[in-house]
Amino acid sequence: MFFEIIFGFGICSAQIGVADMYQEALWINLNLSKEQREQIDGIILDADKQMRAVRGKQKMVDDLYKFDDLYNYADSLSQMKEIRMDAGSKITQVLPLKDREIFENQLEESQQLTEQYTMMMLQLDLTENQQTDIVKSLIKSQQRVWSVVSDTSLSWEQRRQKLKRVNAINLITGKLTTTQRSAWKKWNQSLNLMNL
């Protein structure tokens, strides 16, 4: 169930560089005109209103094995994923062809990394408590990213700078044992070598 939640919410686990992790951060890192940024901010604000409505009904699950609580929580995560995907689709339509291709390539790379990191987590033999803690950490990271991206009182550059401080890898590795951290580090180094 743990990994279904991760995939279901569309969270990329722990790569360094939040701009590579979440489609929302990819939106803000596009080099666009002021008019295009304003259009995208409008889409983000509309999505943020929907997101707040869903979040207002959401309750964090402490025990991933209480079916009713988990089902309701997973349903709200699914609704938020739909809101994010819908916003992403609308933003993609606003982009000029060149920027759309760049964005789609970056998004595809992000999704591939998500799968690779999730496979690594599957190999770490996580306890039930670690699984719960990691899911909460990933959701917290996703929420922080959304909070920054949807703060239209900040310029795009200010949002980019703030996103650099969202560090999902620290949230995850802080939940691992020394042995698991060592395996994670070795695997991450081999992944970085493969992507050179």
Side-chain angles (χ1 to χ4, degrees), residues 33-47:
S33 70
K34 183 179 179 191
E35 293 78 25
Q36 290 167 321
R37 289 179 185 195
E38 287 172 357
Q39 278 184 294
I40 290 173
D41 277 346
I43 294 167
I44 291 170
L45 285 176
D46 287 344

Side-chain angles (χ1 to χ4, degrees), residues 42-55:
I43 294 167
I44 291 170
L45 285 176
D46 287 344
D48 190 50
K49 288 176 191 170
Q50 297 172 49
M51 193 77 78
R52 287 176 191 269
V54 172
R55 221 181 268 138

Side-chain angles (χ1 to χ4, degrees), residues 87-141:
S89 176
K90 289 176 181 174
I91 287 170
T92 302
Q93 293 170 16
V94 169
L95 298 175
L97 183 58
K98 179 183 131 191
D99 292 319
R100 187 179 309 157
E101 289 172 355
I102 291 169
F103 175 73
E104 288 172 349
N105 288 335
Q106 290 172 337
L107 191 57
E108 185 177 321
E109 289 173 14
S110 174
Q111 290 167 344
Q112 289 172 355
L113 284 172
T114 298
E115 293 169 10
Q116 292 170 339
Y117 276 99
T118 302
M119 291 303 297
M120 175 55 190
M121 281 195 273
L122 283 168
Q123 297 173 15
L124 290 178
D125 193 29
L126 299 169
T127 66
E128 289 179 18
N129 286 340
Q130 285 177 309
Q131 291 176 19
T132 302
D133 288 345
I134 289 172
V135 167
K136 287 178 182 179
S137 295
L138 293 171
I139 291 168
K140 180 180 177 181
S141 179

Side-chain angles (χ1 to χ4, degrees), residues 7-24:
F7 279 125
F9 195 37
I11 294 176
C12 178
S13 57
Q15 61 250 11
I16 298 172
V18 75
D20 298 329
M21 294 172 54
Y22 302 103
Q23 72 169 334
E24 293 87 340

Side-chain angles (χ1 to χ4, degrees), residues 1 17 28 36 38 43 45 49 62 69 71 84-86 89 109-110 114 124 135 149 153-154 177 181 189:
M1 187 60 80
I28 295 298
Q36 290 167 321
E38 287 172 357
I43 294 167
L45 285 176
K49 288 176 191 170
D62 291 321
D69 289 346
Y71 176 79
R84 291 172 51 243
M85 294 297 117
D86 184 54
S89 176
E109 289 173 14
S110 174
T114 298
L124 290 178
V135 167
V149 169
S153 70
L154 301 174
T177 65
R181 257 186 245 133
Q189 287 170 340

